[in-house]
C-alpha cells in the first residue's frame, strides 16, 4: 500500500468526525493530513510527513479555525427599509382601528391599522409594529 493512502483514510475519517461534531477542530487537522499525504505521494520520508502533519495541524488550527469561527459568529445582516421597522415600538398619535390610524415609529409618522381588525387602540398607547403592508403599519398592543 502506498504511503499516502493512510493519510487520505485518516483525513476522510477526520472529515466525517467534523461533520458530526461541528466544532471546526477536526476539519483543519484533516487539511494537515492531506498535506502529509501530498508529501508522501511525492516521496517524502515518514519523518518529513509527520513534521508536515504537525506543522500543518498547528498552522491550520491557529489560522483557519479562528477565521471560520469568526465567520460563523458574524451578526445577521442589518435590516433596512420597512423590514427594519418590524418589531419596533410605536406611539399611537390618532386612534387606530380597522379603517384608519396614525402612529409614530422612530420619529416618522405612519398610517396604521391594528393587526387584529376588530381591535381598537387609543391615542398615547405604546404598540409593537408586527408587519408593514405598503405604507401602513400593522400594530398590536
Amino acid at each position: 500500500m502506498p504511503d499516502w493512502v493512510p493519510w487520505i483514510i485518516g483525513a476522510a475519517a477526520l472529515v466525517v468526525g467534523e461533520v458530526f461534531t461541528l466544532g471546526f477542530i477536526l476539519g483543519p487537522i484533516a487539511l494537515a493530513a492531506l498535506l502529509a499525504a501530498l508529501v508522501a505521494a511525492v516521496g517524502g520520508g515518514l519523518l518529513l510527513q509527520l513534521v508536515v502533519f504537525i506543522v500543518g495541524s498547528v498552522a491550520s488550527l491557529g489560522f483557519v479555525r479562528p477565521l471560520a469561527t469568526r465567520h460563523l459568529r458574524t451578526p445577521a445582516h442589518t435590516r433596512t427599509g420597512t423590514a427594519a421597522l418590524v418589531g419596533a415600538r410605536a406611539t399611537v398619535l390618532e386612534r387606530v382601528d380597522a379603517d384608519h390610524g396614525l402612529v409614530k415609529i422612530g420619529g416618522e409618522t405612519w398610517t396604521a391599522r391594528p393587526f387584529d381588525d376588530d381591535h381598537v387602540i387609543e391615542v398615547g398607547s405604546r404598540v409593537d409594529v408586527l408587519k408593514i403592508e405598503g405604507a401602513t403599519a400593522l400594530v398590536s398592543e
Side-chain angles (χ1 to χ4, degrees):
M1 172 168 44
D3 290 344
W4 56 269
V5 172
W7 290 111
I8 297 295
I9 293 170
L14 288 166
V15 167
V16 169
E18 179 65 39
V19 168
F20 287 110
T21 62
L22 299 175
F24 208 70
I25 292 174
L26 300 177
I29 296 172
L31 290 175
L34 290 176
L35 287 176
L38 180 64
V39 169
V42 297
L46 181 59
L47 183 60
L48 181 59
Q49 294 171 34
L50 289 173
V51 168
V52 167
F53 176 70
I54 292 168
V55 170
S57 294
V58 170
S60 63
L61 284 171
F63 180 71
V64 175
R65 186 173 188 274
L67 288 176
T69 54
R70 190 175 327 129
H71 176 71
L72 292 174
R73 291 189 181 128
T74 56
H77 294 290
T78 305
R79 294 183 298 166
T80 60
T82 58
L85 299 176
V86 174
R89 296 284 288 167
T91 304
V92 177
L93 300 177
E94 274 184 23
R95 181 179 171 187
V96 177
D97 57 31
D99 297 320
H100 69 285
L102 285 178
V103 295
K104 188 172 195 172
I105 308 170
E108 296 180 339
T109 302
W110 282 75
T111 58
R113 287 192 340 256
F115 190 75
D116 298 322
D117 286 336
D118 58 343
H119 195 71
V120 175
I121 305 169
E122 297 299 328
V123 174
S125 299
R126 296 282 291 162
V127 293
D128 293 315
V129 178
L130 301 180
K131 188 176 180 182
I132 301 290
E133 285 185 353
T136 302
L138 300 182
V139 297
S140 179
E141 288 184 288

